[in-house]
Amino acid sequence: HGRHNTRHLVIHREFFSAHVPHSAPQLDRQLYTAHRCSGQLDLHSLLEMGFTETQAEHLYSTFNTTQSKMGTSVLTALMVLGLNHSTIVKILDRNPALYSLKGDQVQQRIENLWKLGLIEGSIQRVVSFYPQILNVPVKKVNALSHFLRDKCVFTAQQVTDILRDTPEIVEHNVGDLEYKVQYAYFRMGAKQADMVKAKLFRVSLEELRSRHCFLEHRGLYQTPNKKGQTLIINPKLKDFLGVPEEMFLTEVAKATKEEFAIFCRERKEAETEDPQYSEGEEEDDKGNLGQIGYNRRRKR
């Protein structure tokens, strides 16, 4: 068991050795100590791994409260990633589900994110910002990656950018994601690169449609024709999606908050009265994304 743990630790240390920040000179000692203390989590092992007394007591208390069977292997996996002790404590506080995982599971999921392009710097930020991504099985994350590439025709680099900027996408319904991409592509004439720059998946479908339709209502946005042409210059997606409402209204829509509120209310009332009503869905055509037949889905 000891030889297996040592080999396992060395493999992961070598995997990340070229990417772990060199500003952590105690990392090798901490990893050795983590291996030596591998097994049941207790105050002594936490202190030897480099946690302060306060941090160790907090982790141990949470560990007992959750009745977890987690050993030090999960902590070791996070340390191998180059995260400091304070960040690890915050990650476990924000995502207590990690207490129920095995170290091997966490390591496999970290390695898989690395393979998807989240390398040095990016992977640490993603795990720190959205630690719940480590709860998601490798199979599900890979299925999402294939979906974004095959169905939505994003490039591998664009998928990496999406995972980096919007890691919570791993928990989203793929049907909703598909409709959002269809709407942006067919209804708005946006390309995949535009969607990535605008961080499309951070925005709700309601915000996407309401802002787009309001601009269209004011004559500031046109759906491109089949040749991709418009009579006006449409604003870029990144300039009106994901920005504060005040900025959207003053810098892009050139309207007041009251005008936008009235428009949204009337639009919502129209959809409520007529289930078939859908802003801007005048045509019932079909489109094509790349070489893939990609039928446009009408919102019903």
Side-chain angles (χ1 to χ4, degrees):
H1 181 71
R3 288 194 299 273
H4 171 74
N5 278 350
T6 301
R7 179 177 179 276
H8 200 63
L9 186 62
V10 168
I11 289 173
H12 287 281
R13 180 69 179 100
E14 290 176 348
F15 184 83
F16 288 102
S17 60
H19 311 283
V20 172
H22 295 292
S23 58
Q26 294 183 340
L27 184 59
D28 287 327
R29 178 182 62 78
Q30 291 166 349
L31 291 178
Y32 171 74
T33 303
H35 157 65
R36 189 162 58 84
C37 299
S38 61
Q40 186 66 31
L41 197 72
D42 55 39
L43 282 173
H44 180 69
S45 62
L46 289 170
L47 290 171
E48 286 207 331
M49 291 175 75
F51 290 97
T52 66
E53 185 174 344
T54 300
Q55 291 171 337
E57 290 176 350
H58 175 71
L59 288 175
Y60 187 64
S61 174
T62 306
F63 171 78
N64 286 332
T65 301
T66 57
Q67 296 184 334
S68 170
K69 295 182 179 180
M70 182 187 80
T72 56
S73 57
V74 171
L75 298 176
T76 302
L78 296 175
M79 289 172 65
V80 169
L81 191 54
L83 299 171
N84 61 44
H85 297 87
S86 178
T87 300
I88 291 173
V89 173
K90 291 178 181 177
I91 285 173
L92 288 166
D93 284 346
R94 293 178 57 196
N95 183 26
L98 283 174
Y99 282 102
S100 63
L101 298 179
K102 296 179 180 179
D104 288 348
Q105 291 177 303
V106 175
Q107 290 168 336
Q108 289 169 6
R109 292 169 187 182
I110 288 174
E111 286 184 11
N112 188 59
L113 293 174
W114 191 281
K115 291 175 183 177
L116 291 175
L118 294 176
I119 54 176
E120 173 60 24
S122 294
I123 193 168
Q124 286 87 353
R125 287 193 296 271
V126 166
V127 171
S128 300
F129 172 74
Y130 189 72
Q132 291 83 357
I133 197 169
L134 297 180
N135 302 345
V136 184
V138 168
K139 185 176 181 180
K140 184 176 180 179
V141 174
N142 288 342
L144 173 66
S145 175
H146 289 309
F147 167 79
L148 291 172
R149 294 181 65 178
D150 298 340
K151 288 289 186 179
C152 302
V153 201
F154 288 104
T155 65
Q157 182 57 54
Q158 288 170 341
V159 171
T160 297
D161 293 341
I162 291 170
L163 288 172
R164 182 195 63 221
D165 297 333
T166 319
E168 60 270 27
I169 195 176
V170 296
E171 298 286 8
H172 290 183
N173 179 279
V174 292
D176 294 339
L177 298 177
E178 184 176 15
Y179 178 75
K180 190 179 292 184
V181 172
Q182 287 180 333
Y183 184 92
Y185 187 88
F186 294 115
R187 184 67 182 80
M188 303 175 68
K191 305 302 182 185
Q192 281 78 359
D194 301 323
M195 300 179 204
V196 174
K197 290 179 181 178
K199 297 177 174 56
L200 178 70
F201 299 110
R202 284 188 181 181
V203 180
S204 69
L205 179 61
E206 178 57 31
E207 179 179 329
L208 172 67
R209 295 180 69 240
S210 61
R211 292 193 178 188
H212 163 241
C213 291
F214 186 58
L215 291 176
E216 196 171 49
H217 173 72
R218 295 181 63 80
L220 299 173
Y221 202 103
Q222 285 185 347
T223 300
N225 60 25
K226 294 183 178 180
K227 294 182 179 181
Q229 301 170 330
T230 59
L231 298 177
I232 64 173
I233 299 178
N234 287 334
K236 296 179 180 179
L237 261 67
K238 67 180 182 65
D239 293 335
F240 68 88
L241 290 182
V243 300
E245 184 176 292
E246 183 178 357
M247 184 181 296
F248 162 67
L249 293 173
T250 58
E251 298 185 12
V252 184
K254 310 296 182 184
T256 66
K257 188 173 183 179
E258 291 72 22
E259 288 174 315
F260 185 50
I262 291 172
F263 173 81
C264 291
R265 184 171 63 250
E266 291 179 346
R267 175 173 165 269
K268 190 171 184 179
E269 290 174 353
E271 290 184 342
T272 301
E273 294 172 1
D274 182 4
Q276 297 301 317
Y277 175 85
S278 182
E279 280 285 356
E281 298 262 351
E282 297 94 351
E283 299 179 310
D284 189 22
D285 57 351
K286 294 183 178 181
N288 187 285
L289 288 178
Q291 301 299 315
I292 300 176
Y294 199 96
N295 295 335
R296 178 184 180 184
R297 180 193 307 164
R298 294 189 62 185
K299 188 179 187 325
R300 298 188 182 279

